[in-house]
Amino acid sequence: MVKIFIDPGHGGTDTGATGNGLQEKALTLQIATRIRNMLMSEYNNVSILMSRTEDQTVPLSARTTAANNWGANFYLSVHINAGGGTGYEDYTYVGTGAPTTTYQNLIHEEVVKLAGLSDRGKKQADFHVLRESVMPALLTENGFIDHAADANKLKQAAVIENIAKGHVNGLARAFNLIKKTPSAPNPPTPSPGENEDKGTNSIVDYLKSIGKDSSFNSRKALANQYGIKNYTGTAKQNTDLLNKIKNGSKPGPNPTGDMKTTSVVDYLKSIKQDASFANRKKLAAQNGINNYTGTAAQNTQLLKKLRG
Ligand SMILES: [Zn+2]
């Protein structure tokens, strides 16, 4: 397992650089969060710890201590530049050589490929996070917040996505990350590993124990796949979700409805779908049944199609 510590620069009372209506702390969190999510969803042998996951004040020393105590294999700090300039650059600690500079080369190449920012080169500096982290470390500066053209790019979700993707591609090359097999959609089957904590009553602890993302959004997505609607993270929903995951009940895109009924209305109700005439007409059209008027024959045909 490759342990990557991701550090979104600044946060909380420390906004970082500001300009053109943007705050560095928000951009770094967006980019870092996307990097984490992509790594978690696309690669098998990677585990992530972040210095912050929301708008929090975290001192620099707390960041490097967290990475050091965790035993990270790599420290990635994400920043946005300011002070007159344009483009992308990244830093390793002064005097550092391989393997850190090899990682820098790979990540630099991949970010420049996708970010749509000009290339300011690979650099070295005596920054706290580079100096005080005991593992190879890289700090990336993703465009200039006080440069109008860079700032306009940073306002676009697609650019943030590409910057994150560039980091991910570089990390994947640097650490030989193994792509998950694209058996779409990836079913969240629990991988019973040595760390799997079957005893816990906490969904968050359980997900952590099997190395899965336990964020609210991730749990919401899982809940949806396991047929738990309107997940808000209540204790009951968490318990339900935990039980479903532990029991290994297969989540499915098609909720199992009433397979015995011969009424399309009852069937739709059983899978909690709108059974109104208008919706049935729409479903009928989608399934190639034209001129739906709700006859018994059409309903039977529709029911067959819906059940697959
Ligand atoms: Zn910064």
Side-chain angles (χ1 to χ4, degrees), residues 19-90:
N20 295 297
L22 294 171
Q23 290 189 324
E24 181 182 0
K25 66 173 184 178
L27 293 168
T28 59
L29 185 59
Q30 283 175 30
I31 295 168
T33 304
R34 283 303 294 143
I35 294 173
R36 179 198 62 190
N37 292 349
M38 282 184 210
L39 286 171
M40 298 297 289
S41 64
E42 293 171 26
Y43 295 92
N44 274 322
N45 57 332
V46 62
S47 98
I48 311 286
L49 184 63
M50 290 179 69
S51 60
R52 63 181 181 99
T53 54
E54 51 195 88
D55 186 13
Q56 300 155 260
T57 307
V58 185
L60 290 176
S61 57
R63 298 176 193 235
T64 45
T65 300
N68 293 344
N69 288 345
W70 187 48
N73 299 113
F74 190 65
Y75 191 110
L76 174 67
S77 193
V78 176
H79 287 254
I80 307 296
N81 226 329
T86 176
Y88 169 84
E89 64 193 18
D90 46 43

Side-chain angles (χ1 to χ4, degrees), residues 1-2 38-47 176-182 186 191 210-212:
M1 191 63 82
V2 181
M38 282 184 210
L39 286 171
M40 298 297 289
S41 64
E42 293 171 26
Y43 295 92
N44 274 322
N45 57 332
V46 62
S47 98
N176 299 313
L177 300 183
I178 300 161
K179 266 258 181 206
K180 286 186 179 170
T181 40
N186 235 327
S191 47
I210 57 170
K212 301 261 189 208

